[in-house]
Amino acid sequence: MYLTAEEENVLDGEQGETLRKAMEILVALGDIYGADGLIPVKSAQIAGVSYKTMGDAGLEWISDLEGTVKVPSILNPAGMDMVRWKEMGIEPEFAEKQLEIIAAYEKLGISSKCTCTPYYLEGFSATCGDHLAWSESSAVSYANSVIGARTNREGGPSALSAALVGKTANYGYHLDENRVPTVSVVVDHELSGSDYGALGYIAGKEIGNRVPMFHLASTPTSDELKGLGAAMAASGAVALYHVEGVTPEAKQVNFDKPDETITIQRSQLDEVYETIIGNEDDLECDIVAVGCPHCSPEELNRIADLLEGKKIEKELWVCTSREVAQRYPDVVKRIEESGSKVLCDTCMVVSPATEGHNCMMVNSGKALAYVPGMCKVPAKIGSLETCIKRAGGDN
């Protein structure tokens, strides 16, 4: 892999040990995947934030690093709401470690706005064709597919390295030839809301890490596309997809039709809705959680409308980024008047607060794929309306 003289100097340690390690990681990845060199990135989004997944070893590694990131950089969700962690039932020992992790990242110049939806934040937007170094699976999918930006599914260390160097290796989804659809997915029935998450849950298992082109009978909203991509990234490893006539590259590029076609029937979606993942028994869900990925302003408004004048009877979490919540305080207030909790900085997947529950109702294919394995809690998917009703919000 070609390096400029300046990049060689960094690799030789002339700009410090932290940058040397970062460059070493990027060069190793470039060599493995056949990159021709490094390319500048507009921003970085870094996974490996929750103390639940990082542990003491990850905290020690981050704490030893020195330097300042070269591009705007943000974090994945943490293991707790940084303000309301006590309300979540988080133990003080966990909270202390989590705060240390955030402080270690902040020392490097990384924003402590912890979210899987950085594209909703002011000053962190991406546009079609931008090169990024993002790591959270749903954020990668949204950036590549809905925005038309270019990023691989970075690991936490490689995204952090790209942030510190300001560049990433030029391979994978940064290249035109790897963004071509390799399988068609046909859905000839109408879809709405959580149907897209259920579709993604099914499709991801069949597609794996390939690039699908969807042919849909409905035109999805950006929130529905977010749910589709997040689910495929969780149940499979889809980092880029196209939707005929909808997503940027599907409208701009005349792709050849893939040789393979997968058809997904309505009965397959119905089966996902009827199944509790992680348990064969007909369990009663004792908690409801929405906002995986984090809720958009439009989703928060929809939730507030559904909860208007109602009082919930079960725990209901609504996860979003702190910036979005602070931008719409009146909407947050309307939601919380029902007894629901609007939680920021975290989500049900990466927080230990999920553990110990009997069964979780979600409206997300991503949460459906992750919660049973990562939290050891059975999960069931339903529409947003069903989730509100299950929380007791139909009184």
Side-chain angles (χ1 to χ4, degrees):
M1 189 174 76
Y2 171 78
L3 296 180
T4 66
E6 181 181 359
E7 292 163 354
E8 290 280 8
N9 288 340
V10 173
L11 186 61
D12 290 340
E14 295 186 16
Q15 295 187 33
E17 181 63 11
T18 292
L19 277 181
R20 187 196 68 76
K21 289 179 180 178
M23 183 64 79
E24 192 175 64
I25 289 171
L26 296 178
V27 170
L29 286 171
D31 285 342
I32 290 169
Y33 292 107
D36 56 2
L38 299 178
I39 53 172
V41 294
K42 184 177 181 181
S43 63
Q45 193 255 3
I46 301 158
V49 181
S50 173
Y51 180 64
K52 171 184 172 180
T53 53
M54 285 190 70
D56 289 326
L59 172 57
E60 182 179 354
W61 183 74
I62 293 295
S63 300
D64 288 342
L65 299 178
E66 297 178 350
T68 303
V69 295
K70 299 289 197 305
V71 295
S73 304
I74 202 164
L75 297 175
N76 203 39
M80 64 186 196
D81 185 303
M82 307 305 289
V83 176
R84 302 173 65 182
W85 56 269
K86 290 182 181 179
E87 294 179 51
M88 296 181 69
I90 298 294
E91 295 294 331
E93 295 79 10
F94 183 97
E96 181 181 357
K97 294 288 189 178
Q98 184 64 81
L99 291 170
E100 288 181 28
I101 290 172
I102 299 301
Y105 278 120
E106 287 181 321
K107 185 184 71 172
L108 299 172
I110 299 168
S111 170
S112 59
K113 296 176 181 178
C114 302
T115 182
C116 52
T117 55
Y119 39 86
Y120 293 147
L121 306 188
E122 293 181 4
F124 209 82
S125 61
T127 57
C128 188
D130 286 343
H131 292 279
L132 314 171
W134 289 10
S135 58
E136 199 279 326
S137 61
S138 72
V140 168
S141 173
Y142 194 95
N144 276 326
S145 312
V146 184
I147 298 173
R150 299 184 170 215
T151 178
N152 291 314
R153 186 169 171 172
E154 301 283 358
S158 65
L160 178 56
S161 297
L164 289 164
V165 174
K167 300 178 181 181
T168 194
N170 188 30
Y171 71 93
Y173 295 115
H174 293 285
L175 304 174
D176 289 344
E177 58 263 32
N178 296 321
R179 301 179 68 86
V180 175
T182 54
V183 57
S184 294
V185 181
V186 176
V187 183
D188 60 5
H189 47 87
E190 296 291 320
L191 302 169
S192 66
S194 61
D195 289 344
Y196 286 92
L199 171 62
Y201 181 82
I202 296 165
K205 290 172 180 277
E206 297 197 37
I207 294 166
N209 64 354
R210 292 178 291 171
V211 178
M213 171 68 81
F214 281 86
H215 304 273
L216 303 175
S218 309
T219 301
T221 66
S222 60
D223 281 325
E224 290 169 336
L225 289 172
K226 177 181 71 174
L228 171 64
M232 286 193 291
S235 69
V238 178
L240 165 66
Y241 66 93
H242 305 286
V243 178
E244 183 184 32
V246 176
T247 52
E249 286 167 281
K251 292 191 288 186
Q252 296 169 6
V253 182
N254 186 25
F255 291 119
D256 291 335
K257 183 179 179 181
D259 293 334
E260 181 182 353
T261 297
I262 297 170
T263 301
I264 296 180
Q265 307 291 343
R266 180 71 221 188
S267 59
Q268 293 174 264
L269 272 67
D270 293 339
E271 184 177 350
V272 173
Y273 281 117
E274 293 165 3
T275 304
I276 295 177
I277 306 301
N279 196 297
E280 295 181 359
D281 299 327
D282 187 17
L283 298 175
E284 179 66 24
C285 295
D286 60 340
I287 182 171
V288 178
V290 299
C292 180
H294 279 169
C295 286
S296 67
E298 293 77 14
E299 288 172 315
L300 289 179
N301 267 300
R302 177 61 179 153
I303 294 166
D305 289 343
L306 290 171
L307 287 169
E308 193 75 47
K310 299 173 181 177
K311 294 292 182 183
I312 62 164
E313 298 169 356
K314 296 179 181 178
E315 189 88 348
L316 172 57
W317 294 349
V318 179
C319 299
T320 191
S321 68
R322 186 165 300 279
E323 182 174 314
V324 168
Q326 290 176 340
R327 206 185 302 159
Y328 300 95
D330 292 343
V331 179
V332 171
K333 182 180 178 182
R334 288 172 60 207
I335 292 172
E336 295 200 323
E337 283 174 348
S338 70
S340 306
K341 295 175 182 175
V342 176
L343 300 176
C344 304
D345 316 312
T346 190
C347 82
M348 70 291 292
V349 172
V350 297
S351 176
T354 298
E355 298 164 11
H357 282 282
N358 185 49
C359 181
M360 175 175 279
M361 169 69 81
V362 299
N363 70 329
S364 154
K366 174 186 174 183
L368 185 70
Y370 279 152
V371 167
M374 293 184 65
C375 306
K376 309 305 180 195
V377 175
K380 184 177 178 62
I381 190 172
S383 67
L384 180 59
E385 292 79 5
T386 300
C387 285
I388 299 299
K389 288 180 180 179
R390 283 295 183 94
D394 57 353
N395 48 48

